[in-house]
């Protein structure tokens, strides 16, 4: 079911998500058994691991999808037939966040009630592909597509709901895009659109981006751009990819727009 939700996972991610009580060797044997029985496929990503990218990942096979569907489990998301490396890296980071979050919540009073990737956040259409939600608001110069990288909500003590959107920023575009996104998320929060669709009053956006390099901080620059655009809003929190670890993610690693 983890592969059905996340499209693909590395062997390490599978172990941390699905084989919690197993050691690395036992987890590898179990993944190998799933592969030998034809329930998962293994897809080559690159010849050798580079910059944190695994050499191959696992996806759900047709037989594996059929087994889940026979058991009435969640709808299966088809895996991509080929990988665009930039798209793969981006999704790999989002999957890593989801797996690390699941790990971090173990042993706490909080539970991950739901996780939705961008393909799940599209509005339903008859052809089954979905369409991106469009937001119109006086603060936006034009109608703007709204499609976060992910959404999840937690339940805490007293069944308190804590909703979050997630955006992974790999510094592949200029900072000006965050001026537009700041207005977009603020419009989504204040125009009643979030409550109308997700049933909650408020959310926070978690931004995960590249680490500091040569005295420059992409994280701080993103937050500064947001602050200059809409002011010091509590809506936005940011951290860096190295902080996305089970033992750190729930700690004081998040920066706000007010510093």
């Amino acid at each position: 079911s983890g592969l059905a939700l996340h499209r693909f996972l590395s062997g390490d991610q599978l172990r941390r998500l699905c084989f919690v009580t197993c050691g690395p060797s036992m987890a590898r044997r179990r993944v190998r058994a799933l592969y030998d029985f034809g329930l998962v496929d293994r897809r080559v990503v690159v010849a050798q691991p580079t910059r944190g990218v695994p050499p191959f990942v696992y996806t759900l096979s047709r037989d594996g999808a059929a087994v889940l569907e026979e058991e009435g489990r969640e709808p299966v998301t088809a895996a991509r037939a080929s990988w665009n490396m930039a798209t793969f890296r981006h999704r790999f980071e989002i999957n890593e966040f989801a797996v690390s979050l699941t790990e971090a919540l173990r042993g706490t009073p909080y539970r991950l009630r739901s996780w939705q990737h961008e393909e799940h956040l599209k509005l339903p259409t008859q052809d089954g592909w979905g369409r991106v939600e469009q937001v119109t608001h006086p603060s936006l110069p034009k109608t703007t597509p709204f499609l976060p990288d992910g959404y999840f909500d937690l339940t805490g003590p007293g069944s308190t709901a804590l909703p979050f959107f997630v955006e992974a920023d790999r510094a592949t575009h200029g900072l000006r895009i965050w001026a537009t996104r700041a207005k977009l998320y603020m419009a989504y929060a204040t125009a009643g659109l979030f409550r109308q669709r997700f049933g909650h009053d408020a959310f926070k956006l978690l931004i995960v981006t590249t680490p500091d390099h040569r005295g420059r901080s992409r994280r701080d620059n993103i937050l500064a751009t947001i602050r200059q655009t809409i002011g010091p809003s509590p809506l936005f929190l940011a951290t860096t990819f190295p902080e996305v670890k089970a033992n750190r993610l729930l700690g004081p690693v998040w920066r706000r727009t007010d510093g």
Side-chain angles (χ1 to χ4, degrees):
S1 59
L3 290 176
L5 175 62
H6 298 299
R7 279 191 174 173
F8 66 83
L9 293 167
S10 69
D12 178 65
Q13 289 171 338
L14 270 173
R15 177 184 64 80
R16 291 155 50 206
L17 185 66
C18 304
F19 303 117
V20 182
T21 60
C22 298
S25 297
M26 177 60 75
R28 283 193 294 269
R29 288 197 291 270
R30 291 192 172 186
V31 173
R32 179 70 193 196
L34 291 172
Y35 177 74
D36 290 341
F37 278 104
L39 299 177
V40 301
D41 291 329
R42 193 170 73 177
R43 296 179 180 270
V44 176
V45 181
V46 290
Q48 294 293 331
T50 57
R51 293 172 57 192
V53 175
F56 52 81
V57 294
Y58 295 92
T59 64
L60 200 64
S61 68
R62 289 185 179 180
D63 289 344
V67 169
L68 286 182
E69 290 171 349
E70 287 175 3
E71 294 180 352
R73 305 293 287 274
E74 66 272 7
V76 172
T77 300
R80 296 181 184 273
S82 60
W83 305 113
N84 171 285
M85 184 52 68
T87 302
F88 171 83
R89 286 183 185 278
H90 189 268
R91 182 55 173 260
F92 182 78
E93 296 289 4
I94 292 295
N95 288 351
E96 181 64 19
F97 183 96
V99 173
S100 296
L101 176 65
T102 302
E103 287 184 292
L105 293 173
R106 291 171 185 151
T108 75
Y110 298 92
R111 295 291 178 268
L112 181 62
R113 185 168 65 175
S114 67
W115 177 278
Q116 298 179 62
H117 285 288
E118 62 177 4
E119 61 267 22
H120 309 126
L121 294 172
K122 291 182 178 181
L123 299 175
T125 57
Q126 291 185 346
D127 59 16
W129 288 102
R131 65 179 177 84
V132 177
E133 184 175 4
Q134 302 291 323
V135 176
T136 302
H137 192 267
S139 65
L140 298 170
K142 60 181 179 180
T143 299
T144 307
F146 182 80
L147 187 63
D149 293 329
Y151 169 82
F152 68 93
D153 58 14
L154 307 179
T155 55
S159 300
T160 303
L162 303 170
F164 299 88
F165 289 110
V166 183
E167 292 276 7
D169 177 283
R170 296 196 57 84
T172 55
H173 45 67
L175 286 168
R176 63 182 178 275
I177 194 172
W178 280 105
T180 300
R181 287 181 179 176
K183 294 178 182 178
L184 174 62
Y185 276 98
M186 184 58 72
Y188 204 76
T190 58
L193 298 174
F194 177 69
R195 179 169 182 77
Q196 178 180 337
R197 182 172 178 187
F198 293 92
H200 300 300
D201 291 326
F203 66 86
K204 290 189 183 297
L205 171 63
L206 304 181
I207 305 164
V208 188
T209 189
T210 52
D212 297 353
H213 179 65
R214 294 182 179 177
R216 291 174 294 180
S217 173
R218 175 79 175 181
R219 173 201 57 205
D220 292 349
N221 289 337
I222 288 173
L223 292 174
T225 300
I226 294 172
R227 184 172 61 251
Q228 292 165 7
T229 304
I230 61 170
S233 170
L235 194 72
F236 304 89
L237 299 169
T239 191
T240 60
F241 291 121
E243 303 291 359
V244 180
K245 307 292 182 185
N247 62 346
R248 297 185 61 80
L249 198 56
L250 302 185
V253 299
W254 299 92
R255 294 278 184 93
R256 305 183 306 189
T257 53
D258 60 1

